[in-house]
Amino acid sequence: MSTTQSERLRELLEPLVSAEELDLEEIEVTRTGRRQVLRVVVDSEEGVELDACAGLSRAISERLDETDVMGEGEYVLEVSSPGADRPLTEHRHYVRATGRLARFRLTGGDELVARVLAVDDEGLDLEVPGVKGRRPTSRRVSFDEIDKARVEIEFNRKDKKEEEA
């Protein structure tokens, strides 16, 4: 049975990532000139620190050197976290976005910017900010109503510790 390079990479790397208590979010192989670039994106409930990426990069590099999954040519390995504005595609992404502002494109074509308050198996409880001095409103959105979603970066948002003080 033939498998794709991406499937072989996922099979090879998943145990290494899981051993570090991280989630393997994405594997991408692209070609840049003569070299291939292997991008491995990992995440966890607490986020990912730079040291964790560096350690995982070393472990992945050693494992790749033991196999032929990247072929004979040169390649560059990049291990990183998904970034603050990554798309929300998995249930765990929405859970991690609880408390964050997100932009949603709904299946009907409407767009919505709202704060994720709670996540369950069926959908999300959101708080839609009030406009022009109006109070925020609550809204429930089921997962099947969401076409695309992405966390919005907030530069002036207070940290929870600041709010409690």
Side-chain angles (χ1 to χ4, degrees):
M1 181 165 116
S2 174
T3 58
T4 66
Q5 181 184 33
S6 186
E7 290 169 339
R8 290 179 58 208
L9 282 165
R10 183 165 290 279
E11 189 176 292
L12 185 70
L13 303 182
E14 187 82 53
L16 294 173
V17 174
S18 294
E20 298 298 321
E21 298 181 2
L22 298 170
D23 296 319
L24 181 57
E25 295 290 344
E26 183 180 341
I27 296 173
E28 179 184 45
V29 179
T30 56
R31 184 160 290 287
T32 306
R34 292 181 294 137
R35 285 190 259 191
Q36 293 183 85
V37 177
L38 170 59
R39 287 184 185 85
V40 179
V41 179
V42 296
D43 201 4
S44 77
E45 294 296 323
E46 297 79 37
V48 182
E49 294 185 6
L50 187 58
D51 290 343
C53 285
L56 185 58
S57 180
R58 286 188 291 275
I60 289 172
S61 182
E62 288 173 13
R63 180 65 53 87
L64 290 173
D65 288 347
E66 297 168 357
T67 71
D68 66 345
V69 71
M70 290 302 294
E72 295 296 318
E74 295 178 27
Y75 69 90
V76 174
L77 172 62
E78 297 176 2
V79 178
S80 66
S81 64
D85 64 343
R86 66 124 179 258
L88 304 174
T89 57
E90 302 285 335
H91 185 271
R92 68 178 178 267
H93 298 165
Y94 291 98
V95 171
R96 290 177 189 158
T98 301
R100 306 282 308 270
L101 198 63
R103 179 175 300 276
F104 300 91
R105 187 169 77 205
L106 304 178
T107 54
D110 292 340
E111 286 215 5
L112 172 67
V113 176
R115 190 164 310 280
V116 179
L117 298 178
V119 181
D120 59 33
D121 291 340
E122 286 80 40
L124 313 169
D125 291 327
L126 304 173
E127 179 184 72
V128 181
V131 179
K132 296 183 181 178
R134 291 191 178 137
R135 298 182 139 224
T137 57
S138 297
R139 180 160 177 188
R140 175 79 179 167
V141 176
S142 65
F143 287 117
D144 62 357
E145 292 178 80
I146 301 171
D147 185 34
K148 291 185 179 182
R150 181 179 302 271
V151 169
E152 289 282 288
I153 297 174
E154 296 178 85
F155 293 106
N156 59 352
R157 180 167 183 238
K158 289 184 179 176
D159 190 334
K160 286 182 183 178
K161 292 177 185 171
E162 288 179 41
E163 291 175 1
E164 292 171 0

